[in-house]
Amino acid sequence: MTFSRAIKIAPSILSADFANFGAECEAIEAQGADWVHVDVMDGHFVPNITFGPATCAAIRKHVKGVMDVHLMIAPVDPYIEAFARSGADIITAHLEAGPHIHRTLQAIRAHGVKAGLALNPGTGPEAVLHLLDMVDLICVMTVNPGFGGQKFIHSQVDKVRSLREMIGDRPIHIEIDGGVTAQTAPLVAAAGADVLVAGSAVFTGGSGADPAPYGANSAAIRRAAEAAKLN
Ligand code: DX5
Ligand code: ZN
């Protein structure tokens, strides 16, 4: 994975057909997705449950590109090996998921996987100050984690700007997760984000039988972001 700050669209399969993840992943990649965003939820860190490492391993066989695994679980450390074995290219843990985030990031990288750090809306950018050499990606939650289809939290745009300044020219992606649409994408792209996770905005109007809307929706988000992107 060579580093580039070009805009990347990462559809979240939280909005996909849960009975057909394989076909859905193949469809979104065929329709232009750059990454596949896999939302793991444990019903403890967030008030929702999705799936675990076994489902990620099954999905892996249908993902040609980057499998971007977002762990909304606590604790994280006992499950890192299982998600690494499942074939994740990136494993993102929440800073708020436990007391030892530095150790968690070390453990993710020790398994040869890129390390991501997710910040809930209430966590300030200064939280990453002593972790910049431990991460390959910072995920800014622009909704409270747990569900798709929520409203974008506009106050997070300033956080993106601050993070972009703090990162400088380090090879660290800024990922935006939650409420990303063709309307909100330009706001975060202009502030310095490069990876845009979108669930409902990509999957809306499409289906396994008719995946064309997945492509049109992704292209609209990409166009809007690229037109506004910080160089
Ligand atoms: C929410 C997840 C997001 C979510 C995004 O906890 O982390 O990835 O699926 O869904 P939309 O794009 O519908 O807000
Ligand atoms: Zn996510």
Side-chain angles (χ1 to χ4, degrees), residues 37 39 70 72 141 177 197:
H37 185 80
D39 281 317
H70 177 191
M72 288 162 276
M141 293 307 298
D177 194 1
V197 173

Side-chain angles (χ1 to χ4, degrees), residues 90-105:
I90 304 168
I91 294 177
T92 295
H94 270 260
L95 181 136
E96 306 87 359
H100 302 297
I101 185 62
H102 188 281
R103 181 188 291 145
T104 297
L105 296 167

